[in-house]
């Protein structure tokens, strides 16, 4: 049984920064990240690997403070934790401390609760994941969250807020913080176990064959969107550079050469790449509308033809009755004439 001096691993980072992938790797190494986990969704078909008790705690406290439960906020920490959620937090802590082996949890919303958990879990160790802002924004846009449809800038503002909170905590508590770029883990899963062993002295054996690379999109890093952020949102690139300089796996000298050829041509190229499928879709939609209108016209013609046919049948039936009646009358007259002649 663990005691209050045993480490508890708290994994967090901005949404879409690879926290689910990293949590799955920790679980593969035997870390107890929870028994009742958040089920898979369209955005995370492999699962979120989130302890529902922890997620519900974060969501409820956010809502109690009048904030979105998803954590789409611009403040760096949530300080007000009212009852009964304080009691719930103590229950979570007790359950983790009483569990056997290494325990922990993962939730991106936890970035907003770092000070809260640090004050109550002095033995906790924190694993922070970060990802390039252009990749996170692209991932959020592709997932299609409704909140960003009317406020596309919010995705970048939240990325800035979360990572500023992480960097502030890392600078204040470096001995209990591990900062990693998800790209390093994506390329080599052993980076995670090596970094944890070096920073925290915790030995984990991670299974490296559970990751499906097709689910992790990185193509946007080769696009012009990174240069767009540098040009119009330079604070995001500066913060990413600061995170790179603190990365525990390897200290990086940030490569700004990717922004050196910023010119007008890339904007037109992106415009073309965006418009081409859009235009094709528009053409297909127009063709579909033409076919649908043709279908409606033919249906109407069919109805009119059927009505005309029904009317013709009625007229034919009436004519047939009239002729039959005339034929009967003629036969009667003929029979009468034969009788008179006889």
């Amino acid at each position: 049984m663990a005691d209050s001096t045993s480490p508890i691993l708290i994994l967090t980072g901005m949404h879409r920064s690879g926290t689910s992938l990293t949590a799955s790797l920790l679980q593969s190494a035997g870390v107890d990240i929870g028994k009742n986990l958040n089920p898979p969704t369209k955005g995370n078909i492999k699962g979120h690997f989130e302890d529902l008790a922890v997620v519900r705690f974060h969501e409820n406290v956010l809502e109690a403070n009048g904030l979105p439960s998803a954590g789409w906020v611009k403040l760096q920490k949530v300080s007000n934790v009212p009852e009964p959620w304080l009691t719930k937090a103590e229950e979570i802590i007790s359950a983790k401390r009483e569990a056997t082996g290494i325990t922990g949890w993962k939730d991106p919303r936890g970035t907003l609760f770092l000070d809260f958990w640090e004050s109550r879990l002095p033995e906790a160790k924190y694993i922070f994941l970060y990802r390039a802002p252009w990749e996170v924004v692209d991932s959020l846009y592709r997932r299609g969250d409704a909140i960003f449809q009317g406020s596309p800038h919010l995705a970048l503002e939240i990325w800035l807020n979360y990572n500023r909170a992480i960097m502030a905590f890392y600078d204040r508590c470096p001995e209990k913080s591990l900062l990693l770029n998800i790209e390093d883990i994506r390329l080599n899963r052993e980076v995670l176990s090596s970094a944890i062993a070096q920073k925290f002295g915790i030995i984990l054996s991670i299974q490296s064959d559970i990751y499906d690379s097709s689910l992790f999109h990185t193509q946007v890093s080769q696009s012009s969107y990174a240069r767009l952020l540098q040009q119009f949102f330079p604070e995001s690139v500066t913060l990413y550079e600061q995170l790179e300089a603190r990365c525990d796996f390897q200290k990086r000298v940030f490569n700004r050469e990717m922004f050196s050829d910023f010119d007008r041509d890339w904007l037109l190229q992106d415009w073309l790449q965006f418009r081409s499928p859009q235009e094709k879709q528009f053409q297909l939609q127009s063709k579909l509308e033409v076919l649908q209108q043709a279908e409606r016209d033919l249906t109407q013609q069919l109805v009119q033809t059927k009505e005309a046919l029904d009317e013709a049948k009625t007229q034919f039936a009436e004519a047939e009755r009239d002729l039959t009646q005339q034929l009967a009358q003629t036969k009667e007259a003929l029979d009468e004439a034969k009788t008179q002649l006889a």
Side-chain angles (χ1 to χ4, degrees):
M1 179 177 295
D3 58 37
S4 61
T5 61
S6 300
I8 296 174
L9 300 178
I10 297 179
L11 171 62
T12 191
M14 171 61 188
H15 298 261
R16 315 307 293 173
S17 293
T19 55
S20 295
L21 164 61
T22 306
S24 72
L25 295 173
L26 291 178
Q27 186 187 59
S28 76
V31 177
D32 181 1
I33 60 172
K35 300 296 187 295
N36 186 19
L37 301 181
N38 217 354
T41 61
K42 181 180 178 181
N44 276 44
I45 62 175
K46 291 290 187 178
H48 293 268
F49 299 90
E50 295 172 345
D51 188 329
L52 276 174
V54 177
V55 171
R56 296 290 178 260
F57 168 79
H58 289 152
E59 289 178 335
N60 288 322
V61 174
L62 285 166
E63 290 178 348
N65 283 272
L67 301 170
S69 60
W72 306 131
V73 299
K74 299 179 184 178
L75 77 166
Q76 293 184 21
K77 65 179 179 179
V78 176
S79 301
N80 178 38
V81 180
E83 287 287 359
W85 311 119
L86 279 174
T87 300
K88 186 61 180 178
E90 293 303 323
E91 292 174 0
I92 292 172
I93 292 172
S94 296
K96 295 299 179 182
R97 283 176 171 166
E98 292 172 2
T100 302
I102 303 173
T103 65
W105 68 73
K106 166 259 175 176
D107 185 13
R109 302 167 191 80
T111 303
L112 307 173
F113 292 83
L114 293 175
D115 288 353
F116 174 82
W117 291 117
E118 198 272 335
S119 67
R120 287 163 175 77
L121 275 170
E123 71 272 25
K125 307 295 182 183
Y126 297 82
I127 302 174
F128 297 121
L129 273 297
Y130 67 95
R131 188 182 182 189
W134 45 88
E135 289 190 357
V136 170
V137 170
D138 181 73
S139 182
L140 288 170
Y141 287 173
R142 281 188 292 101
R143 193 170 68 176
D145 297 74
I147 191 172
F148 302 121
Q149 299 301 314
S151 304
H153 62 281
L154 187 60
L156 187 58
E157 291 177 357
I158 294 173
W159 182 91
L160 286 165
N161 180 65
Y162 271 61
N163 284 289
R164 282 169 178 158
I166 286 172
M167 194 166 67
F169 186 91
Y170 180 89
D171 288 345
R172 191 175 76 250
C173 304
E175 73 287 348
K176 59 174 63 178
S177 301
L178 177 62
L179 182 64
L180 297 173
N181 188 328
I182 189 58
E183 182 67 5
D184 292 328
I185 297 174
R186 186 185 73 83
L187 295 174
N188 180 8
R189 266 68 75 197
E190 296 303 321
V191 166
L192 180 61
S193 56
S194 296
I196 291 175
Q198 183 175 356
K199 192 69 179 279
F200 301 143
I202 299 173
I203 305 302
L204 298 175
S205 179
I206 290 175
Q207 296 180 21
S208 60
D209 59 348
I210 66 171
Y211 167 63
D212 184 353
S213 60
S214 67
L215 301 178
F216 213 91
H217 299 270
T218 60
Q219 294 89 341
V220 73
S221 283
Q222 284 75 50
S223 77
S224 54
Y225 295 114
R227 285 176 282 173
L228 184 147
L229 292 189
Q230 167 64 10
Q231 183 75 3
F232 298 105
F233 304 95
E235 67 276 14
S236 65
V237 177
T238 297
L239 179 56
Y240 184 57
E241 183 177 15
Q242 293 169 342
L243 292 167
E244 290 280 72
R246 289 167 171 77
C247 180
D248 281 296
F249 173 63
Q250 59 180 355
K251 305 299 180 184
R252 289 179 169 86
V253 177
F254 188 67
N255 180 18
R256 287 185 174 268
E257 291 182 1
M258 63 187 300
F259 306 120
S260 61
D261 57 346
F262 185 89
D263 56 37
R264 294 177 295 177
D265 290 342
W266 72 262
L267 180 58
L268 295 178
Q269 183 65 36
D270 259 26
W271 191 354
L272 175 63
Q273 291 174 352
F274 172 76
R275 176 48 62 190
S276 294
Q278 294 292 318
E279 185 63 26
K280 184 179 294 184
Q281 181 178 1
F282 174 77
Q283 292 174 357
L284 290 174
Q285 182 66 31
S286 299
K287 185 176 181 180
L288 176 62
E289 291 174 357
V290 170
L291 292 174
Q292 288 174 335
Q293 183 60 49
E295 181 186 27
R296 289 192 293 269
D297 293 342
L298 289 172
T299 301
Q300 185 176 5
Q301 291 177 21
L302 179 62
V303 170
Q304 292 173 346
T305 301
K306 188 176 183 300
E307 290 176 350
L309 179 61
D310 290 341
E311 184 178 355
K313 287 180 178 179
T314 301
Q315 293 175 353
F316 177 80
E318 291 176 351
E320 184 181 28
R321 286 193 299 271
D322 291 342
L323 289 173
T324 300
Q325 186 178 3
Q326 291 176 17
L327 179 61
Q329 291 173 350
T330 300
K331 184 178 180 182
E332 289 177 359
L334 179 61
D335 290 341
E336 184 178 353
K338 287 180 178 179
T339 302
Q340 293 175 353
L341 288 173

